[in-house]
Structures are given as C-alpha cells and as structure tokens.
Amino acid sequence: MTEEPRDRSALSGDTVPAAPSVISVMLIVSDADAAVAWYRTALGATELWNLGGVAGLEIGGAPFYLHQVNPENPTETSPGQVGVTSTRIEVFIDDPDTFIERAVAAGAVAGAAIEDHRVPWGTHRQGGFTDPFGHNWSVGDKSPLSSFPR
C-alpha cells in the first residue's frame, strides 16, 4: 500500500496548500422547514444557507446539515419513518444543562440525565435528548476530539 501525499497540491503541481479534511453530519428529516425552525429556536442554531429541502446550520461554529426525506432515495429515510436511528449527534458546549433544558422546553424528549463521568480527558458532564425528528443528541461540556492527556 502506498501512502498518498498529505498536500494534494503536490498531485496537481499547484502551490496552494490542501484544505483540511472535513466530516459533516446530515440529518434526514420529514419536514426541512419545520426542522430548521426547531433547531434555530430550540438549540440556537444559525442558518448558513437554505436551498428548500436542504439547509446548512451551525451551533457555535459547528456546522451540520438537514435534508428532507427524498422518496426517490429509499436509503435516506428519517428516524420517524423507520422507527429507529443508528446515529447519535454529540455536541460539546460550555453549559450542557441549559442547552438540554432549552431543547426539552421546545419539545425534545429528555434522555439520559446529565451526570459527571470520569474519562481519560478529565471529568466530563454529559446528558441527552431526542429531538422531535427522532435524532438522539448527547450534550457534554468537554470534547474528546483532541489528543490527551491534556
């Protein structure tokens, strides 16, 4: 197996450095307009763009996307259609208690209560909820998405 160059500009001869990789999350929802409104109100999301049926949002600079169910693509169904979700969205924010309380007040179903957990990156507070579109959210105060020990 050969290793690919880290800087994709080396492949094309360009001198512009390659952009970092990005992983995005796209939530399939039954009603994109209702979902945009709910995520804005309940979670304080900011709308980046909206193409009608597909929208880009962000919470505190962390982007995610919504896509309305497309009946012509049976692989993209909402949790409400299939009765289950296999993905958990995790958000890390300074005040997880208030974030969860706001979501529940706007119609989310409370999940795991916020508890302190001892993890390799320190004491971590985390709880959760299920949004009205069937997506499970875990909300914590410290992200494990960097090297540790810190």
Side-chain angles (χ1 to χ4, degrees):
M1 184 163 115
T2 61
E3 193 171 316
E4 291 187 30
R6 296 186 118 180
D7 183 349
R8 285 174 272 176
S9 63
L11 297 175
S12 66
D14 293 341
T15 57
V16 178
S21 298
V22 174
I23 295 175
S24 68
V25 174
M26 182 171 284
L27 305 178
I28 307 299
V29 295
S30 56
D31 182 336
D33 290 336
V36 167
W38 191 86
Y39 290 118
R40 289 180 72 174
T41 299
L43 306 184
T46 302
E47 188 174 315
L48 300 172
W49 47 265
N50 191 329
L51 303 177
V54 181
L57 303 171
E58 71 177 4
I59 297 172
F64 67 103
Y65 306 93
L66 302 175
H67 194 297
Q68 189 160 304
V69 170
N70 177 358
E72 295 178 22
N73 186 350
T75 65
E76 293 184 354
T77 58
S78 72
Q81 285 179 306
V82 295
V84 67
T85 183
S86 64
T87 302
R88 179 174 72 192
I89 297 93
E90 296 204 7
V91 62
F92 300 97
I93 193 156
D94 289 337
D95 185 359
D97 300 84
T98 300
F99 192 86
I100 291 171
E101 289 168 5
R102 183 175 173 179
V104 170
V109 175
I114 291 201
E115 295 180 358
D116 289 343
H117 302 273
R118 286 288 302 146
V119 290
W121 55 93
T123 301
H124 169 63
R125 293 184 45 72
Q126 184 168 314
F129 62 88
T130 300
D131 70 30
F133 307 95
H135 298 286
N136 294 325
W137 290 71
S138 286
V139 183
D141 64 351
K142 292 182 183 170
S143 173
L145 298 176
S146 62
S147 300
F148 57 87
R150 295 181 198 155

